[in-house]
Amino acid sequence: MPPKYYEEIGKPTPKVEVMKFLKWKGFKDAKDYAGEYVQGTCNYGTRVDYILNLPDLCCKFVPQSYSVVSSKGTSDHHIVKVEIVREVERDQERVKRRKHKVKEKVVRITNSFS
């Protein structure tokens, strides 16, 4: 939505700095897995609800599965949904890495006074 629209309805222009920062940090946005059209997530047509994922987790978003469902009459926020699947290969790699970690050893230190 153009900034003029928000001025006309008396609302502040949505800020995008936080999402830019999270994407820069490697977070994946479920909206990137949407179909052709994505509506806003609230009554004003803006996007205020997000589903994010880190790429090193053992799950991923299913392409074309992101959608926004109207919650008219129950909330001013719509329902945001996306399908997530587990990446078995990545999960197995994480288990292998955990097994190969160096095990920590606890050592008791005592003071001896002579």
Side-chain angles (χ1 to χ4, degrees), residues 4 49 59 64 69 71 78 80 95-96 98:
K4 187 175 181 179
D49 301 293
C59 58
Q64 308 294 314
V69 181
S71 60
H78 299 308
V80 180
V95 169
K96 284 179 188 175
R98 251 188 251 145

Side-chain angles (χ1 to χ4, degrees), residues 11 30 54 59 76 98 100 105 113:
K11 298 290 178 188
L54 278 171
C59 58
D76 61 343
R98 251 188 251 145
H100 294 324
K105 186 176 179 181
F113 298 100

Side-chain angles (χ1 to χ4, degrees), residues 75-87:
S75 174
D76 61 343
H77 290 248
H78 299 308
I79 300 163
V80 180
K81 73 175 194 106
V82 67
E83 291 179 44
I84 300 171
V85 293
R86 187 175 194 162
E87 288 186 300

